[in-house]
Amino acid sequence: MAQSHPPVGTGPLARREARLAWGLLLPTITAVALVVLLPLLAIFWISFKPVKLADLRPPEVVLREDIRGDKDVAGGEATLRYRLRNSSQEQPINGVTFADVMPDGLKVIELDERCTLSGRALTCDLGDWEPGAREQIKIPVTVDQVFIDNAIRPQDSAAITTGQASNILTNSTFTLDNFARIFSGEEFFEVLWITLFYTVFGTIGALVVGLFAALLLNKSFRGQGILRGLYLFPYVAPVIAVAFAWLILFDPFSGSANALLVQMGVTQESINFFGERPLALIMVTVFEIWRYFPLSFLFILARMQSIDSDMYEAADIDGASPFQQFWYLSVPQLLGILSVLFLLRFIWTFNKFDDIFLLTGGNAGTRTLTVNVYEQAFAISNIGAGAAVAVVIFACLLTFSIFFLKYISREEGL
Amino acid sequence: MRRGYLTAAVLGALWMVVLSVTVAVTMSFATGDAFRPSLSFSLLWGGLVGMALIHKNRVRTMQILMASWLLTSGLYGWGALQFGEDTTPAASTIGTLTLAAIFVVSLTKILEEIAPGQLTRHEFEHAVIRFLTGFGYIFFTAIVLIPFYVMLMTSLKNQAELMQNPLDFSVDLSKGTDLLRSYEELFTQFNFDTYLMNSFFISVLTVFITLAFAIPGAYAVARLRFRGQAAFSRSILLIYMVPMIVLALPIYIAFSMTGLRNSFWGIVMIYPVTTIPVALYMLQGYFRGLPSEIEEAGLMDGLSRLAVIWKITLPLSLPALASVSLYVFMIAWNEFLLAFMLLDDPSKFTLTRGIASLNSSEIPRQHLMAGSVIATVPIMALFLGLERFMTKGLTAGSVKG
């Protein structure tokens, strides 16, 4: 009798399952690759190139055609005119050509030497162009009755132009200028310090406030559901709505907060909350805490409700006071979720853009790295420098992620 | 510290400060009149009443006595609440009365276990916790409600009224439908009907596209065995952490060059990709929790894998699908950055982009706030109606910020 072995390697069933799995994942992988991985590679590429906002429109040949002269009389003489120009004032275009179909009933008297005519197809070869170059090609023609009857204007058939321009995004110019630009000067370190302040205090603040809110709601009473829903409002509402509401509430001239403070005698003059250093930075951090405490509150509450209540009863019998129970029983149980929340919130706060951008636009000492990307790319129109800042952000993110992956395994199911 | 007198006095004084500030802010916002908490009188009366209340704290007459004392001193101008010259007598009486009544009732509750002499650690800490709880409820309710209250009320007033007294949010009901004028103008002159429709369609499409991608993906990650499964499930998390601002630049460039910028479909293409990782992560967690025996039984009965997903797994995960859909809808509805960067043409704006365009000095700000209310109300209504699903969905593995 033949000896029987356990199966070795992957069997046909397992292979089929793996094939199905990859089949199911393929659409997602493609989509994510196209919209996440490709842009990530692109941002590295761009960060080494001197790209300006204006470079995004590649130079092209702009062409207009018309006919002038006795074009309404049979046998009349007219001029078919092509006006062309290079749309860019900075870059040359090489090998410019254009092709057009001439309308029926026009007889060419004399052809420009750069053009050839075969049948009714006209092609012209205009060579290389300087930046901002203009050309005019005039073709004198006699008009036939056919042309008049057809009522076709020359511009009805679109002329096709070709020409190669060097594209800064695809050519082989690479420089380190963008990085040199963002790292030189004290401004970068100021931005980095602001980012860290915002991130560290925003994260810790949201966790502490969230923990307090969770402790409040960690008992069942009537209306608990309503309060929980209410406390989630800041997180659920559109950022644009709440950011503008804050701006109006804290407006230096007609904001209710200032009116209230003046009335209560806290301050004599109105305070420009979002316009002064270092108050603006504190305010955007407070906004961050306000907007994201609901999230930590929700997670901490979920964790609290899964803690076994027997433990507290036992502690009660042993005479542990409420604060002792919180410190020695609850906190150790919550440490896992707190550390994961800290890392996640840290990463997301570090990446936050909309909130600061809407509140201060990065003014008054609130320019974080993310706002700097936008500033460089769109305010100074230097896309390359913006990409370089984005690369810096991405490098920080990778570092955090390594920490994150080390900790996430401890708190599975988040 | 753990003497009953001292505890009662300190807690009473602090509690009076909390309550007088609360009542002053509430009355100011409600009437626009001047109300000011007095720190010194708050501490004084709060401490004294606190000490008085612990003696016979369960006797109704003592409470009434203390409340009337607070009331009279308040009305003579020595109270924890002070008034401006223009404050109407009715408003000041209501304010003082409310403060006195609430203070005595709530402080009695806080000091429930406190006796004049030495306290046990339990009694002391319970009192402190009750104080902190009361403070917490007031604090959180205030910080959450005030911005939304200001948003709503500003949208109902006009610029001149607000400049005159920024605290006066009282609504003049005699104006009738004229109160809603800024809303009407947004819809008739500022295209908000189009924006609302755009946002709605984009969000719904995003939900469907996201689910179409995420359901098969999540199932594969959760149930099927293949090499690289663990690595895949981690890379979902990583991708879900990539900041949008880093991706926005190349997307802007690519969309500019292909002509997808400024188009409805460009936005519909890009939004799902930002939500697929979240949805995938949430769903795979849920699929893992489903008992696999039911599916195996289905396989035994001759159903194919796809049929099992369609006929067994999906019907079982309807609650999870609901919460994921809600969450994705919320992300798409609230999205601002991409809409702001990619859309320039006012006829294609989403709601958030439309509101951003109202932020100019020429447009009165009640319009800005009315726009904010229009964007907030649908998502809030959806959220409050389906809060159970939403919180479950949020905790089921998403902390997208």
Side-chain angles (χ1 to χ4, degrees):
Chain A
M1 218 172 114
Q3 192 102 30
S4 63
H5 293 284
V8 180
T10 41
L13 260 177
R15 271 205 300 274
R16 230 176 64 191
E17 196 168 300
R19 257 207 312 276
L20 177 69
W22 285 110
L24 290 176
L25 282 171
L26 194 68
T28 309
I29 296 176
T30 325
V32 169
L34 273 177
V35 186
V36 177
L37 298 182
L38 212 62
L40 275 183
L41 293 177
I43 200 109
F44 276 94
W45 177 269
I46 302 164
S47 68
F48 290 104
K49 292 191 149 287
V51 189
K52 299 279 188 296
L53 204 52
D55 294 327
L56 293 189
R57 285 185 132 192
E60 55 181 6
V61 180
V62 182
L63 180 143
R64 289 209 184 86
E65 54 183 315
D66 58 11
I67 184 163
R68 317 178 118 209
D70 292 335
K71 56 183 193 298
D72 301 324
V73 190
E77 282 194 8
T79 313
L80 192 57
R81 196 168 64 144
Y82 293 92
R83 284 175 298 167
L84 304 101
R85 70 184 168 85
N86 180 350
S87 68
S88 164
Q89 295 295 324
E90 277 128 35
Q91 289 189 47
I93 305 181
N94 297 326
V96 179
T97 67
F98 81 88
D100 194 17
V101 178
M102 291 191 42
D104 279 336
L106 291 183
K107 206 171 138 212
V108 174
I109 300 171
E110 189 194 348
L111 200 58
D112 192 292
E113 62 206 13
R114 290 168 292 184
C115 300
T116 50
L117 189 67
S118 73
R120 304 229 62 87
L122 175 79
T123 47
C124 300
D125 185 356
L126 303 175
D128 298 345
W129 274 7
E130 293 301 304
R134 288 168 182 277
E135 279 284 355
Q136 245 192 59
I137 291 179
K138 288 180 181 166
I139 303 174
V141 288
T142 37
V143 181
D144 279 358
Q145 190 59 42
V146 185
F147 178 76
I148 297 164
D149 292 344
N150 278 350
I152 295 175
R153 295 172 310 153
Q155 52 266 50
D156 289 343
S157 68
I160 298 156
T161 60
T162 61
Q164 278 107 41
S166 151
N167 187 338
I168 188 73
L169 284 169
T170 51
N171 68 14
S172 56
T173 323
F174 292 96
T175 75
L176 283 172
D177 284 358
N178 295 324
F179 289 97
R181 192 192 153 107
I182 62 159
F183 280 115
S184 71
E186 282 164 31
E187 200 198 11
F188 181 78
F189 292 96
E190 197 200 317
V191 167
L192 204 61
W193 143 249
I194 287 170
T195 313
L196 281 180
F197 178 95
Y198 177 71
T199 312
V200 170
F201 287 98
T203 308
I204 294 177
L207 279 187
V208 171
V209 177
L211 179 64
F212 186 25
L215 285 169
L216 278 184
L217 288 189
N218 189 25
K219 44 191 140 190
S220 42
F221 53 88
R222 252 176 24 149
Q224 191 236 28
I226 296 171
L227 274 185
R228 191 175 58 186
L230 185 71
Y231 291 177
L232 287 172
F233 268 20
Y235 176 70
V236 180
V239 58
I240 187 151
V242 287
F244 283 138
W246 271 58
L247 278 181
I248 279 177
L249 179 61
F250 288 100
D251 189 277
F253 305 110
S254 54
S256 316
N258 267 312
L260 208 57
L261 288 179
V262 169
Q263 190 183 94
M264 293 189 174
V266 179
T267 161
Q268 297 299 314
E269 281 170 39
S270 62
I271 304 167
N272 191 356
F273 284 99
F274 286 106
E276 271 169 25
R277 282 161 190 264
L279 194 59
L281 181 58
I282 295 172
M283 285 304 289
V284 291
T285 313
V286 169
F287 180 81
E288 159 81 18
I289 296 172
W290 178 79
R291 194 160 137 69
Y292 292 103
F293 88 83
L295 213 63
S296 27
F297 146 68
L298 205 60
F299 278 85
I300 296 170
L301 186 63
R303 186 79 188 78
M304 273 177 178
Q305 285 175 344
S306 70
I307 299 178
D308 200 356
S309 64
D310 293 354
M311 214 165 56
Y312 291 102
E313 281 160 25
D316 242 354
I317 293 166
D318 289 344
S321 78
F323 281 111
Q324 282 174 325
Q325 287 182 21
F326 170 71
W327 192 249
Y328 295 106
L329 293 180
S330 306
V331 170
Q333 296 272 329
L334 296 176
L335 266 187
I337 188 85
L338 285 176
S339 61
V340 170
L341 268 177
F342 177 82
L343 270 167
L344 271 178
R345 286 295 338 144
F346 192 89
I347 292 172
W348 272 309
T349 311
F350 192 88
N351 295 340
K352 201 81 227 146
F353 169 78
D354 325 27
D355 306 38
I356 302 182
F357 180 72
L358 284 170
L359 287 174
T360 66
N363 298 318
T366 58
R367 192 189 301 171
T368 57
L369 276 170
T370 48
V371 177
N372 206 16
V373 174
Y374 186 87
E375 283 273 306
Q376 299 280 358
F378 293 97
I380 317 179
S381 317
N382 192 342
I383 290 200
V389 182
V391 167
V392 173
I393 295 179
F394 189 67
C396 296
L397 179 82
L398 271 185
T399 322
F400 298 145
S401 308
I402 292 165
F403 275 103
F404 178 75
L405 285 182
K406 269 191 158 167
Y407 276 91
I408 190 77
S409 48
R410 284 203 204 159
E411 187 82 8
E412 214 52 71
L414 181 78
Chain B
M1 186 69 200
R2 295 223 297 265
R3 308 281 311 178
Y5 273 120
L6 199 57
T7 308
V10 171
L11 288 183
L14 291 178
W15 186 237
M16 182 60 112
V17 172
V18 171
L19 279 192
S20 60
V21 171
T22 311
V23 172
V25 171
T26 315
M27 290 303 285
S28 297
F29 272 138
T31 63
D33 290 344
F35 289 87
R36 187 179 319 120
S38 154
L39 190 63
S40 43
F41 278 122
S42 293
L43 290 172
L44 179 70
W45 295 147
L48 289 178
V49 173
M51 281 200 274
L53 277 182
I54 52 169
H55 262 296
K56 300 174 174 176
N57 58 14
R58 276 172 204 86
V59 178
R60 185 50 50 98
T61 42
M62 192 66 185
Q63 289 186 351
I64 294 172
L65 209 63
M66 288 296 113
S68 10
W69 176 23
L70 286 175
L71 186 62
T72 16
S73 65
L75 290 180
Y76 276 98
W78 313 320
L81 207 55
Q82 308 272 314
F83 314 101
E85 283 161 16
D86 304 332
T87 314
T88 57
S92 51
T93 316
I94 291 175
T96 318
L97 192 65
T98 323
L99 179 62
I102 294 181
F103 180 75
V104 169
V105 171
S106 55
L107 191 65
T108 312
K109 232 176 152 109
I110 289 177
L111 300 178
E112 212 168 29
E113 297 168 6
I114 303 290
Q118 183 76 32
L119 299 175
T120 69
R121 189 167 179 165
H122 267 88
E123 288 165 344
F124 172 71
E125 286 186 6
H126 276 301
V128 173
I129 284 173
R130 277 193 296 270
F131 167 78
L132 286 177
T133 310
F135 169 75
Y137 285 132
I138 292 175
F139 174 76
F140 282 109
T141 310
I143 61 167
V144 170
L145 280 188
I146 287 175
F148 289 100
Y149 176 79
V150 168
M151 184 198 292
L152 182 67
M153 289 307 179
T154 308
S155 73
L156 299 177
K157 311 216 84 165
N158 68 42
Q159 193 94 356
E161 290 171 337
L162 280 169
M163 287 300 248
Q164 207 178 23
N165 183 359
L167 277 177
D168 187 5
F169 287 110
S170 55
V171 169
D172 184 5
L173 284 177
S174 65
K175 283 203 263 176
T177 52
D178 204 35
L179 279 175
L180 299 174
R181 218 183 56 210
S182 47
Y183 291 90
E184 194 200 312
E185 280 174 14
L186 283 184
F187 280 107
T188 52
Q189 294 165 26
F190 291 89
N191 284 333
F192 261 60
D193 45 347
T194 321
Y195 303 165
L196 205 59
M197 287 316 264
N198 284 351
S199 263
F200 181 74
F201 281 123
I202 287 177
S203 306
V204 169
L205 277 174
T206 305
V207 169
F208 280 112
I209 298 173
T210 305
L211 286 184
F213 279 89
I215 290 174
Y219 187 84
V221 173
R223 271 281 187 275
L224 304 176
R225 272 152 304 172
F226 60 98
R227 278 170 58 166
Q229 185 187 20
F232 198 87
S233 125
R234 292 200 152 182
S235 46
I236 299 169
L237 254 178
L238 277 186
I239 281 169
Y240 160 36
M241 288 193 285
V242 173
M244 207 54 229
I245 185 79
V246 169
L247 303 181
L249 260 189
I251 290 172
Y252 177 86
I253 294 173
F255 273 29
S256 294
M257 294 187 132
T258 50
L260 277 170
R261 214 178 96 209
N262 234 338
S263 78
F264 185 88
W265 296 110
I267 291 284
V268 173
M269 272 167 63
I270 211 79
Y271 276 15
V273 185
T274 65
T275 51
I276 286 172
V278 195
L280 219 159
Y281 194 72
M282 287 163 84
L283 279 177
Q284 61 115 11
Y286 190 83
F287 287 160
R288 265 199 195 136
L290 289 178
S292 58
E293 287 81 5
I294 312 177
E295 289 177 21
E296 278 154 19
L299 287 174
M300 289 302 216
D301 288 346
L303 288 176
S304 72
R305 267 287 178 187
L306 294 178
V308 165
I309 298 179
W310 184 248
K311 289 190 177 146
I312 299 177
T313 316
L314 284 189
L316 279 178
S317 25
L318 276 181
L321 291 179
S323 64
V324 172
S325 308
L326 256 173
Y327 192 57
V328 169
F329 186 89
M330 183 187 105
I331 295 179
W333 182 271
N334 292 354
E335 208 286 332
F336 163 73
L337 169 64
L338 287 170
F340 181 71
M341 283 180 87
L342 299 178
L343 297 175
D344 302 321
D345 177 358
S347 69
K348 288 166 186 155
F349 281 179
T350 60
L351 211 47
T352 52
R353 180 69 183 88
I355 296 168
S357 71
L358 292 180
N359 184 25
S360 93
S361 51
E362 285 116 59
I363 298 171
R365 54 186 212 186
Q366 73 263 29
H367 286 76
L368 182 62
M369 286 296 97
S372 302
V373 172
I374 294 173
T376 308
V377 164
I379 203 80
M380 289 298 184
L382 207 61
F383 170 70
L384 284 182
L386 301 163
E387 197 242 320
R388 217 158 32 89
F389 288 120
M390 192 90 165
T391 43
K392 211 186 263 165
L394 282 170
T395 40
S398 60
V399 255
K400 176 96 175 160

